[in-house]
Amino acid sequence: MTSIFSTASEMAESLKQKEISSVELVQMHYDRIEKVDSGVHAFLHLDKAGALAKAKIIDDKRAAGEKLSPLAGIPLALKDVLTQKNQPTTCGSKILENWRPPYDSTVVERLNANDVVILGKTNMDEFAMGSSTENSAYGPSRNPWDLTRIPGGSGGGSSASLAAFEAPLAIGTDTGGSIRQPAAVTGTVGVKPTYGTVSRYGLIAFSSSLDQAGPCARTVLDAALLHQVIAGYDEKDSTSINQPIPDVVAAAKKGEVKGIKIGVVKEFQGEGYQKGVLNRFQESLDILVNLGAELVELSCPSFDYALAAYYLIAPSEASSNLARFDAMRYGLRISETAGQSAEEVMRITRGKGFGPEVKRRIMLGTYALSSGYYDAYYGSALKVRTLIKRDFEKAFSQVDVLVSPTAPTTAFKIGEKANDPLAMYLNDICTIPTNLAGIGGMSLPAGLAEEDNLPVGFQIMAPVMQDDRLYNVGAALERALHEKWGGNILKQIPDLNNLVGIFAGKGSN
Ligand code: GLN
């Protein structure tokens, strides 16, 4: 029987067999959202009327015998960083409150063209800056495994919606880890595709040379099905790669690691890593070896400087990208008294419209780019970026994929790191090098840490344009782990129905 607990591929099969209609499937998810989202706060906005109307059209098409895309009629949660025509698109910020974009992002266009039904927009750290969703101007999302904890960030709304069974699929964006770290801490699957393979048109820019949208799901195959829908060349994005996308769905169905060389990054272990994280990581390595993979320990010495380089490059690009929010063209405009100059209105609006983390990044970036400091900071960071790329190239000349824990710890408590930006930044230590090098990365669940019974993520990284390798290795590991657990790790999640009451209303401001 199809239920909210089914995978997207199971739902797709039921739709195809006409055991259920898309309208029923979509309604089922809205019922769930109504029940649990007051506690989880995964969504910022729902488009119930639009989604149900869309589902009805798809059901009619199916009834008429039209050939439909594999994910036609399946509901999806969309991170609020991507424009959707006439739907609120806030990017988690007050500065875009009430803004309704006049156009669809390419990702949304592709979802629509494939008849995927968008349920609504998910919560996120303001302008995708953060690792916990606590930087959202609309209050944090909560981790369905433990509602006192963070669901990761910046795409915590998307990951929480999956783990809470409010949606079977979601879209995230990953600048330094915002798809993979939320996947890790919620026991879900998240993929950052190779940079340039998913269009950034209509993706509100944080750090343009790093930002990349990608699929979030509860299984590797579901992620692959969504990956296939959103990836591909787009002439509207000048950084889009005009090359065929590897067959990620075939890879996800294959899952065969015999003879594959897997590099274990030495730098991503040891001090600062939770014991349960390292234990689950080691167990996954043992499984891969049992399945016939060969392990190679590798050193990527420049990775030690990735975090420092990222926190110069990303804020530098952000300081420039966020200059467009000037109170003049669109979004919030605050003028306190009549006759204020445009400059004053800009200052007041930006002062009130941006939260503290966004301001911190704008200041950091503006400073790093200022004349006299450019070479010392931004210029040096770019050099480190090149060294990191070379480390990857060297590693991939010896192995097919690299692996590491996705994040050094499991989900921390809401509030625990909110006043310590550096501690927050450290959560992305394993995910950032991938973004700097433009390669693809996946996080999938590796089990629960023994200290706290919370999900641990296993990260796989592959060379540019070889994202199929992520799915092949991921599928092999997932199959073995599901066998061990007797199914998906999310089967072990505590029953949300008992918990949400306590937290209802505390998610949002
Ligand atoms: N947590 C990182 C940051 O704050 C990465 C965010 C992201 O990937 N969007 O910049």
Side-chain angles (χ1 to χ4, degrees):
M1 257 293 273
T2 309
S3 75
I4 50 166
F5 304 108
S6 307
T7 65
S9 6
E10 288 163 356
M11 290 175 192
E13 190 52 35
S14 301
L15 285 170
K16 213 168 127 194
Q17 301 303 333
K18 304 208 175 86
E19 291 160 13
I20 190 170
S21 71
S22 178
V23 167
E24 287 167 333
L25 193 60
V26 168
Q27 185 58 52
M28 215 183 249
H29 284 90
Y30 279 121
D31 291 346
R32 174 70 171 181
I33 291 168
E34 197 158 301
K35 232 187 196 161
V36 302
D37 207 54
S38 57
V40 177
H41 194 224
F43 286 92
L44 290 178
H45 174 75
L46 296 170
D47 178 24
K48 202 167 168 183
L52 285 167
K54 176 97 197 270
K56 172 82 176 71
I57 294 172
I58 300 160
D59 285 339
D60 290 346
K61 282 199 214 173
R62 200 182 300 273
E66 262 186 56
K67 189 170 166 10
L68 296 174
S69 133
L71 289 180
I74 305 286
L76 171 140
L78 182 68
K79 188 175 177 183
D80 206 21
V81 64
L82 285 148
T83 62
Q84 186 185 3
K85 195 173 173 179
N86 295 329
Q87 291 298 315
T89 300
T90 66
C91 225
S93 181
K94 288 278 177 214
I95 214 156
L96 283 177
E97 196 171 18
N98 302 322
W99 181 58
R100 289 177 187 250
Y103 70 107
D104 278 332
S105 52
T106 297
V107 167
V108 167
E109 226 169 57
R110 282 172 175 267
L111 292 170
N112 285 338
N114 283 271
D115 285 330
V116 178
V117 182
I118 299 169
L119 295 172
K121 310 295 286 287
T122 57
N123 195 18
M124 55 183 284
D125 284 301
E126 185 176 8
F127 286 102
M129 297 172 186
S131 307
S132 67
T133 73
E134 289 165 292
N135 295 334
S136 167
Y138 304 98
S141 298
R142 295 175 180 276
N143 191 324
W145 285 86
D146 173 351
L147 295 174
T148 66
R149 291 177 189 265
I150 59 107
S154 61
S158 285
S159 66
S161 74
L162 296 171
F165 299 96
E166 296 172 280
L169 296 172
I171 296 284
T173 59
D174 194 309
T175 304
S178 286
I179 288 176
R180 291 163 287 159
Q181 182 259 11
V185 300
T186 55
T188 58
V189 178
V191 178
K192 181 204 102 68
T194 291
Y195 181 82
T197 56
V198 178
S199 173
R200 286 186 299 108
Y201 180 74
L203 160 56
I204 298 172
F206 161 14
S207 180
S208 312
S209 76
L210 301 164
D211 299 339
Q212 193 65 185
C216 309
R218 292 191 289 258
T219 68
V220 171
L221 177 60
D222 284 359
L225 289 166
L226 183 55
H227 191 136
Q228 202 180 36
V229 165
I230 59 173
Y233 176 65
D234 179 16
E235 59 180 15
K236 290 189 202 136
D237 172 0
S238 62
T239 56
S240 179
I241 298 177
N242 194 355
Q243 268 180 46
I245 302 299
D247 192 343
V248 291
V249 173
K253 287 183 175 162
K254 189 170 155 218
E256 172 61 67
V257 292
K258 201 164 276 162
I260 282 186
K261 285 195 179 157
I262 296 179
V264 183
V265 186
K266 218 173 79 191
E267 280 71 18
F268 290 152
Q269 299 171 46
E271 209 193 318
Y273 287 78
Q274 195 176 318
K275 196 163 151 273
V277 167
L278 293 176
N279 288 345
R280 293 302 85 74
F281 178 62
Q282 188 55 49
E283 280 167 17
S284 296
L285 291 181
D286 295 344
I287 288 174
L288 289 165
V289 169
N290 270 334
L291 294 172
E294 186 189 327
L295 290 192
V296 182
E297 176 137 326
L298 283 170
S299 174
C300 295
S302 309
F303 287 11
D304 286 342
Y305 308 100
L307 199 71
Y310 173 88
Y311 277 99
L312 287 167
I313 293 169
S316 294
E317 293 186 18
S319 70
S320 159
N321 274 327
L322 270 56
R324 76 192 64 187
F325 302 103
D326 58 5
M328 297 295 132
R329 285 172 286 195
Y330 55 92
L332 186 72
R333 177 185 296 169
I334 302 171
S335 45
E336 282 170 341
T337 54
Q340 274 174 325
S341 70
E343 243 176 43
E344 277 170 321
V345 173
M346 280 182 206
R347 186 173 51 74
I348 296 165
T349 304
R350 285 168 68 85
K352 297 219 157 125
F354 288 136
E357 183 61 26
V358 172
K359 286 180 189 159
R360 179 162 31 244
R361 306 259 181 136
I362 292 174
M363 285 191 283
L364 209 64
T366 307
Y367 181 79
L369 289 177
S370 53
S371 68
Y373 292 111
Y374 183 95
D375 286 336
Y377 297 119
Y378 185 71
S380 305
L382 287 186
K383 286 179 190 155
V384 171
R385 188 173 188 174
T386 302
L387 294 176
I388 288 165
K389 261 190 203 144
R390 285 191 194 146
D391 273 1
F392 272 119
E393 276 161 20
K394 199 169 153 221
F396 287 131
S397 71
Q398 300 167 63
V399 296
D400 300 299
V401 294
L402 290 170
V403 296
S404 76
T406 308
T409 67
T410 54
F412 46 89
K413 292 256 183 198
I414 290 175
E416 192 181 323
K417 299 189 183 181
N419 299 318
D420 186 353
L422 278 180
M424 188 76 85
Y425 296 172
L426 276 168
N427 228 265
D428 298 313
I429 196 146
C430 308
T431 46
I432 278 174
T434 321
N435 300 78
L436 289 171
I439 65 170
M442 168 188 282
S443 178
L444 74 157
L448 305 181
E450 58 268 28
E451 304 91 359
D452 48 23
N453 265 323
L454 291 168
V456 171
F458 184 89
Q459 180 178 227
I460 309 168
M461 298 163 271
V464 165
M465 291 309 280
Q466 313 284 331
D467 296 351
D468 50 332
R469 293 189 194 175
L470 305 173
Y471 288 95
N472 180 41
V473 176
L477 179 60
E478 178 186 69
R479 196 188 299 135
L481 285 170
H482 281 192
E483 243 165 67
K484 184 171 153 189
W485 302 327
N488 198 300
I489 193 82
L490 288 166
K491 280 192 171 173
Q492 298 177 43
I493 199 166
D495 186 359
L496 261 181
N497 289 324
N498 302 330
L499 296 168
V500 284
I502 308 169
F503 291 95
K506 290 193 186 160
S508 54
N509 287 343

